[in-house]
Amino acid sequence: MTEPTEGRAELIQDVLALLAAEDAERVVPRLLELAELVAGPWGGPEQAVLKELRLVEAPFRPALLHRLARRYFELEPGADGRRHIMHILANLRDRTDDDHPRDLRPALIAVLSEQEAHHDVTQLLRLTELERADGHELPGDFVALLRRTRLTTWNGKGRLGPLLATLTHPVVNPGEAWSDQALADLAERDESWSRLVAHAATATAARPSAPWEKTGRALVEAVGAEPVRERLTDWLRLVGRPRTRPLLVPAYGTDPNATFDPYNADVLRGLTWLLSFLPPHPETARTLGALVETSLKKVSGLGPVNPKVANAAVTALARVDSEPALAELARLATRVTYKGTLKLLDTSLDARAEAMGLSREETEELAVPAYGLTEVGRAEHHLGESTALIGISGTKATLSWRNATGKAVKSVPADVRRDHPDELKDLKAAVKDIDKMLSAQSERLDRQFVARRTWTYAAWRERYLDHPLVGTLARRLLWTVDGTTAGYADGALRTLTDAPVDSGTEVTLWHPVDHEPAEIVAWRDWLERHGITQPFKQAHREVYLLTDAERATGTYSNRFAAHYLRQHQFHALAAVRGWRNKLRLNVDDEAPPATRELPAWGLRAEYWIEGDGGEHHDDLTDSGSFLRLRTDQVRFYPIDAAENSAHCCGGEYRMRMHAGAALADPLPLTDIPPLVLSEVLRDVDLFVGVASVGNDPTWQDGGPGGRFQEYWTSYGFGELGESAETRRALLERLIPRLAIADRCTLEGRFLQVKGDRHTYRIHLGSGNILRTPNDQYVCIVPRSNPATPQAGYLPYEGDRMLAVILSKAMMLAADTKITDRTILSQL
């Protein structure tokens, strides 16, 4: 036991004296002072206080409880004092009925109800017994606590189960935006609605059973399908909003306010299933799709908010036989990265494809709706005497208006708001849906390079070039028609010489790895001449060819080894790019490398990684996962080969036979098709370029303990990779058109910018800045979503670092106009 400091020892003695004197009024603030001073478990000399608290007898015990409860609500929500009081209350365990006098119970119940769960089940049962004996109805918040405790504590299920079977109201737990709205709506409706929602609360399985569905359909019929759809979609749209009644945040563990109430989560699952029993409706699909994404948002220390709710929504979507539902499934398959839900999405889409007699790829293509667009990227809708125009620019949809005279107006015409509210609502929803689908389709198209996909000319024109929505992306890409490269411009598909291409047999997506540099440059000029901005890099796509070093190593590439990556950023990005990865924890366990399966080629790519810095506390999260990874080789294996694995904390990768998979040697890099090699290495370059700690402008000192100083300097100002070289080539063409062109020059790895105070050099890989004299480092942290500077024409979208570099250049060229004090202090 550690010796107390003089101040703490004096405080402990004071608290013990006040407890002995049974002075509840004065001891409470002193107890809170002690708790604040300890700032953690009471494991030292303060245990003497805990011992005395457990020995306190009536009538002082209820008086002390009462004063603690009163002080609890005097404190602001979220204050540390509230958590301290809950800790003190846990040590004032009741021993007699006198501990819960009638006048104390409401305050004690109110305090306890602010927890996610209460581990003293005996106290909960006794409070309930006493309140019901007095004829009092239990508050909804307390019933919610009982339900959560039953679901989340080891001893809650058996002891609280019989009691909760008798507590049917409130039908959902209050405290969440959607559940509060549901309770308010149910209060105005007959009991058949409450029975419907109560049935939803019994949805504890992975999917609805036949008896569950039969009962659910009967309850829906009693209320009416359309009223059920309107109410349920209204409630589900509120899911994920901040809690209306925040719960106490524990000192350790996940914030319960960032997750779903566990009881309400079962209700949500049931509500999604009930929606699938109704006639198909676009709003149903839209709402279920949004619920999947909301339920999979990441929570620090936990992961996805609630995968069970997400999976239930996917199950419901798969049961809805409609084009909008299929479109949502296809869209989510390009966006979802959580393995369990993605597997369910894949299974659902495969089943739908089999039922339609089509391939999975064809199903996804045909699933893309037009969303009311009557031609590629455009639609007009006449509402009374006014006209709504939907247009697509890049990956964004806009809704504009013309009045009865044909004049463009900025806001929705009054007659539309008055006479066509439903049509207006549908139009606004369509614009949001278009934005989501455009992003999803852009990602799907970007993955087609390694899919070996070919189309007949007629099918390709219908599903891509002339599709009202996908056409806005396809017409900004290059295609190969019967061996001839073509792009869309001036209303037709054209060759490099602008000759029209009116027919063909077979179409594939063009990739630069198959073409000579001169031809690639010519197509870049063609895109620029026609003012075409591609939805992602294609003509400017980086090409990764085998190096002499890789020919020498034979079966692996070290091109992206010896980097330090932020693990969680890498993990998220890998999932988006179709890689499978397991977070590295500082535990005695093994994990496979990050892998990407390439079924069209019969290959599996591996990127070998390991956790970094387990010996340092500041290299780990609270949950024990590594903050950073060290990178190693890239290898290729047959897709059905056994999996490699290595210890999470580092060590040699080894292949073990399992599940019938055969042992196999890594494949020679010379045997890997150039397109596959290029695309895999491009992914890995992207991981390093985005997740490297060398990109962090605040790590000039080398990060924790200065351990990364050498790496940060070498990466942040070192030789350029392929993506940075592509960026440099673009800037050579772009700079002469900038308003600051006379202040900018490209010098090797840097964009040099002449300001009025200094001359600056911006590294084209990391975006880090050096200034004269003496190459002094300047730390400028970009915003999380910086707007692309007004730099005129750009040939492709999606290069965030290019936007960062341009924004920094424009700022530094006018360095006398900078007002940010942090930046000014460095100039």
Side-chain angles (χ1 to χ4, degrees):
M1 182 179 294
T2 59
E3 290 297 321
T5 63
E6 184 176 348
R8 182 186 294 191
E10 184 177 320
L11 181 55
I12 290 172
Q13 292 306 312
D14 191 19
V15 169
L16 291 173
L18 291 170
L19 287 173
E22 298 189 349
D23 190 338
E25 197 70 24
R26 293 174 59 199
V27 77
V28 167
R30 298 296 276 167
L31 276 169
L32 294 183
E33 283 183 50
L34 180 60
E36 192 69 32
L37 187 63
V38 173
W42 290 31
E46 58 275 2
Q47 283 187 322
V49 175
L50 293 183
K51 181 179 178 180
E52 288 304 313
L53 283 172
R54 295 175 186 131
L55 295 175
V56 169
E57 299 285 351
F60 177 47
R61 183 190 296 269
L64 183 55
L65 286 169
H66 209 300
R67 183 66 192 94
L68 285 165
R70 194 170 73 197
R71 179 57 185 153
Y72 183 94
F73 289 106
E74 291 172 354
L75 296 169
E76 290 292 324
D80 288 340
R82 285 193 164 194
R83 191 169 60 250
H84 298 328
I85 288 173
M86 201 65 71
H87 176 67
I88 295 167
L89 288 174
N91 286 279
L92 277 168
R93 299 184 184 276
D94 57 299
R95 289 182 295 176
T96 68
D97 291 351
D98 292 337
D99 291 331
H100 295 142
R102 188 176 288 110
D103 66 328
L104 170 62
R105 280 183 236 141
L108 189 57
I109 285 173
V111 171
L112 297 180
S113 298
E114 295 219 341
Q115 301 173 101
E116 181 180 27
H118 188 61
H119 294 272
D120 189 352
V121 175
T122 299
Q123 184 180 31
L124 295 180
L125 290 169
R126 188 57 182 149
L127 279 169
T128 300
E129 180 185 7
L130 292 170
E131 284 293 282
R132 296 178 97 179
D134 287 344
H136 297 157
E137 184 175 344
L138 295 177
D141 288 337
F142 189 65
V143 175
L145 170 68
L146 295 172
R147 289 168 172 166
R148 292 193 298 267
T149 300
R150 177 180 178 271
L151 291 170
T152 59
T153 61
W154 67 270
N155 62 342
K157 187 171 184 179
R159 300 183 66 192
L160 290 174
L163 168 62
L164 287 170
T166 68
L167 298 175
T168 58
H169 287 83
V171 68
V172 293
N173 284 354
E176 295 181 316
W178 81 265
S179 63
D180 287 355
Q181 184 61 55
L183 290 171
D185 290 342
L186 293 174
E188 299 175 354
R189 286 164 172 77
D190 61 42
E191 195 61 28
S192 61
W193 276 92
S194 293
R195 287 194 292 270
L196 179 73
V197 178
H199 182 60
T202 64
T204 57
R207 56 187 55 85
S209 65
W212 196 98
E213 180 173 345
K214 181 179 180 180
T215 301
R217 288 184 179 277
L219 292 169
V220 167
E221 185 177 356
V223 175
E226 187 58 19
V228 168
R229 184 193 65 77
E230 290 180 354
R231 286 297 96 212
L232 267 55
T233 53
D234 282 349
W235 297 345
L236 294 182
R237 279 194 292 268
L238 298 174
V239 174
R241 294 191 180 183
R243 282 190 63 93
T244 56
R245 308 180 199 185
L247 298 174
L248 187 67
V249 180
Y252 306 99
T254 303
D255 180 356
N257 301 296
T259 65
F260 295 167
D261 182 297
Y263 180 83
N264 285 354
D266 284 341
V267 182
L268 288 173
R269 289 203 290 183
L271 296 181
T272 66
W273 296 345
L274 291 172
L275 277 175
S276 71
F277 303 159
L278 308 179
H281 191 283
E283 191 61 33
T284 297
R286 185 178 297 127
T287 302
L288 290 172
L291 181 62
V292 173
E293 293 182 291
T294 298
S295 302
L296 293 179
K297 287 182 178 178
K298 297 294 180 64
V299 175
S300 178
L302 175 68
V305 172
N306 198 300
K308 289 183 179 180
V309 173
N311 293 348
V314 170
T315 298
L317 274 171
R319 293 169 58 97
V320 177
D321 187 12
S322 72
E323 290 185 2
L326 178 57
E328 278 298 310
L329 288 172
R331 182 185 71 81
L332 290 167
T334 69
R335 306 289 292 174
V336 167
T337 59
Y338 182 70
K339 186 164 58 176
T341 305
L342 182 57
K343 182 179 180 180
L344 187 59
L345 282 164
D346 287 338
T347 301
S348 301
L349 284 168
D350 289 343
R352 188 68 65 92
E354 183 178 355
M356 296 170 68
L358 300 171
S359 69
R360 165 71 179 273
E361 292 81 5
E362 289 177 304
T363 303
E364 291 183 349
E365 290 167 358
L366 295 172
V368 184
Y371 294 113
L373 299 172
T374 52
E375 53 187 286
V376 176
R378 191 174 183 278
E380 288 189 10
H381 297 276
H382 300 284
L383 304 180
E385 296 183 344
S386 299
T387 303
L389 296 94
I390 295 179
I392 295 177
S393 177
T395 53
K396 286 292 181 183
T398 59
L399 179 61
S400 57
W401 297 90
R402 290 201 300 258
N403 62 17
T405 65
K407 180 182 177 181
V409 292
K410 292 183 178 180
S411 58
V412 181
D415 63 311
V416 174
R417 290 197 300 268
R418 181 185 64 246
D419 301 330
H420 304 278
D422 292 338
E423 292 93 330
L424 176 60
K425 179 182 177 181
D426 290 342
L427 284 172
K428 290 182 176 180
V431 168
K432 292 181 180 179
D433 288 344
I434 289 171
D435 284 348
K436 291 181 179 179
M437 185 59 79
L438 279 171
S439 177
Q441 291 303 308
S442 179
E443 292 181 14
R444 185 176 69 85
L445 279 165
D446 196 11
R447 295 182 188 178
Q448 293 300 308
F449 291 110
V450 293
R452 305 187 82 172
R453 190 89 168 90
T454 61
W455 299 267
T456 64
Y457 182 81
W460 171 74
R461 286 211 66 127
E462 177 188 356
R463 300 174 192 174
Y464 287 88
L465 200 67
D466 297 331
H467 188 280
L469 185 140
V470 182
T472 64
L473 302 170
R475 291 184 177 188
R476 295 189 284 139
L477 295 172
L478 300 178
W479 303 87
T480 301
V481 182
D482 296 340
T484 299
T485 305
Y488 190 90
D490 299 326
L493 198 63
R494 301 183 184 277
T495 65
L496 192 57
T497 60
D498 283 340
V501 178
D502 299 322
S503 61
T505 303
E506 185 178 87
V507 181
T508 58
L509 187 60
W510 182 91
H511 192 286
V513 78
D514 302 319
H515 301 272
E516 295 297 324
E519 183 187 355
I520 295 170
V521 171
W523 274 108
R524 291 177 181 178
D525 291 340
W526 185 91
L527 291 168
E528 185 175 335
R529 186 170 74 249
H530 290 287
I532 297 172
T533 297
Q534 297 199 290
F536 47 80
K537 288 183 182 179
Q538 186 191 28
H540 291 76
R541 202 172 188 86
E542 301 83 5
V543 175
Y544 299 78
L545 302 177
L546 273 181
T547 64
D548 290 340
E550 287 161 344
R551 289 188 179 91
T553 56
T555 58
Y556 61 89
S557 169
N558 268 333
R559 199 183 308 196
F560 300 104
H563 286 281
Y564 294 90
L565 310 185
R566 292 179 288 264
Q567 173 170 215
H568 293 82
Q569 191 171 12
F570 164 77
H571 183 70
L573 187 58
V576 168
R577 294 298 302 169
W579 290 66
R580 178 166 48 88
N581 182 55
K582 181 178 180 180
L583 282 173
R584 266 55 176 178
L585 301 175
N586 187 29
V587 295
D588 187 16
D589 193 11
E590 292 201 347
T595 61
R596 182 177 182 183
E597 294 186 345
L598 303 155
W601 304 88
L603 296 173
R604 182 181 78 231
E606 296 186 352
Y607 189 26
W608 288 9
I609 54 176
E610 62 183 43
D612 176 72
E615 66 276 14
H616 301 286
H617 177 72
D618 53 9
D619 288 329
L620 303 172
T621 67
D622 290 341
S623 59
S625 63
F626 290 98
L627 288 172
R628 287 168 290 277
L629 302 170
R630 288 193 300 269
T631 68
D632 202 348
Q633 305 172 5
V634 174
R635 294 191 176 202
F636 291 85
Y637 290 87
I639 195 170
D640 56 356
E643 197 170 59
N644 284 301
S645 65
H647 198 279
C648 291
C649 301
E652 182 182 359
Y653 273 94
R654 293 173 295 175
M655 183 178 287
R656 297 183 178 88
M657 188 179 297
H658 62 91
L663 300 179
D665 293 326
L667 297 171
L669 295 181
T670 53
D671 291 353
I672 306 303
L675 186 149
V676 173
L677 179 71
S678 184
E679 284 298 297
V680 167
L681 292 182
R682 182 177 185 270
D683 276 353
V684 177
D685 192 3
L686 177 68
F687 302 154
V688 173
V690 173
S692 170
V693 300
N695 283 329
D696 190 334
T698 66
W699 273 37
Q700 180 192 8
D701 60 356
R707 296 192 298 278
F708 302 92
Q709 180 68 66
E710 183 178 349
Y711 171 76
W712 185 88
T713 301
S714 65
Y715 181 87
F717 299 105
E719 295 297 324
L720 301 182
E722 292 292 339
S723 60
E725 288 287 1
T726 300
R727 193 175 298 128
R728 189 186 192 286
L730 175 59
L731 285 169
E732 285 180 342
R733 304 171 67 102
L734 182 63
I735 286 173
R737 306 171 192 162
L738 300 179
I740 59 171
D742 60 333
R743 291 176 173 259
C744 296
T745 54
L746 281 168
E747 294 190 358
R749 306 187 295 268
F750 297 89
L751 171 61
Q752 183 165 292
V753 181
K754 188 177 184 303
D756 294 318
R757 298 173 184 266
H758 304 279
T759 296
Y760 309 88
R761 296 198 299 157
I762 307 174
H763 190 260
L764 300 178
S766 65
N768 289 335
I769 305 167
L770 300 173
R771 74 159 175 84
T772 58
N774 304 323
D775 278 347
Q776 183 174 332
Y777 175 67
V778 178
C779 177
I780 298 179
V781 181
R783 296 177 181 176
S784 57
N785 291 299
T788 301
Q790 298 299 314
Y793 166 77
L794 292 175
Y796 54 80
E797 300 170 353
D799 188 344
R800 182 180 181 274
M801 185 54 71
L802 175 63
V804 168
I805 291 170
L806 287 171
S807 65
K808 288 182 177 181
M810 292 180 176
M811 175 190 293
L812 295 171
D815 56 1
T816 56
K817 297 181 180 179
I818 294 174
T819 58
D820 186 285
R821 293 182 179 180
T822 302
I823 299 175
L824 282 175
S825 67
Q826 305 174 72
L827 303 184

